[in-house]
Amino acid sequence: MTAHHTDTKTAESARRRELMATWSATCSAKKAAHFSAARGFARNNLWLGVPATVLSAAAGTTVFAATQQASASKPLLVLAAAVSMLTAVLTALQTFLKPDAKQQEHKDAYTRYAGLQTRIASVLAREPSELDIAEARSELDAITREAPIVGDMTK
């Protein structure tokens, strides 16, 4: 082997390692962002679901109490109607916004980025080949294309 050939091979190896290390860092950043987004959607789900459940029970109890009285007081009936309407709004928001489904989408993206990052680390433990580069690039592109956008509360 000539010195030029060895230098070219070393430079190519360094380029592949640097590229894989950059992709590993990208996976790490995107993994953290999706984890944070999943936690946010989990909180949103609780903030909508728990009050809706509690208010639904309160509305049912209030309506039941109002119907048991021969002359139900107008304020009690108004309260029952208001609680029922608020429950309907919270339930509709939870159905429309689907925070539980969005949480799962971000958890899935987190898991895929974590898996790719692990595979990249195992490749970096040896000499990355052009096939390793092609496979990692393809997988990273697919995850990025299919993952929900972080920061977009509608996706």
Side-chain angles (χ1 to χ4, degrees):
M1 246 196 247
T2 66
H4 175 71
H5 181 71
T6 302
D7 289 345
T8 303
K9 188 173 181 179
T10 302
E12 184 61 26
S13 174
R15 181 194 68 80
R16 287 193 299 261
R17 286 186 165 286
E18 183 179 336
L19 187 58
M20 293 293 268
T22 299
W23 288 343
S24 180
T26 297
C27 286
S28 183
K30 290 185 180 251
K31 184 176 74 171
H34 283 287
F35 181 80
S36 179
R39 281 190 8 201
F41 281 114
R43 270 191 311 275
N44 291 348
N45 192 38
L46 287 175
W47 278 106
L48 290 172
V50 170
T53 302
V54 170
L55 289 172
S56 178
T61 302
T62 305
V63 168
F64 180 75
T67 59
Q68 294 303 307
Q69 297 177 1
S71 59
S73 67
K74 185 169 179 147
L76 188 58
L77 292 174
V78 170
L79 176 64
V83 170
S84 293
M85 288 175 33
L86 183 56
T87 301
V89 168
L90 289 174
T91 303
L93 283 172
Q94 192 170 26
T95 301
F96 177 73
L97 296 175
K98 298 180 180 95
D100 54 338
K102 291 175 181 155
Q103 174 193 5
Q104 188 60 51
E105 290 174 6
H106 284 286
K107 282 174 67 177
D108 291 346
Y110 165 87
T111 301
R112 290 181 71 191
Y113 279 118
L116 178 56
Q117 187 177 24
T118 300
R119 284 187 289 289
I120 288 172
S122 69
V123 167
L124 286 173
R126 59 177 169 72
E127 185 63 36
S129 69
E130 285 300 321
L131 180 60
D132 294 325
I133 297 291
E135 288 174 349
R137 175 180 288 128
S138 176
E139 187 172 355
L140 182 59
D141 289 348
I143 297 169
T144 302
R145 184 176 49 255
E146 296 163 11
I149 298 170
V150 177
D152 183 353
M153 297 305 284
T154 62
K155 180 155 182 174

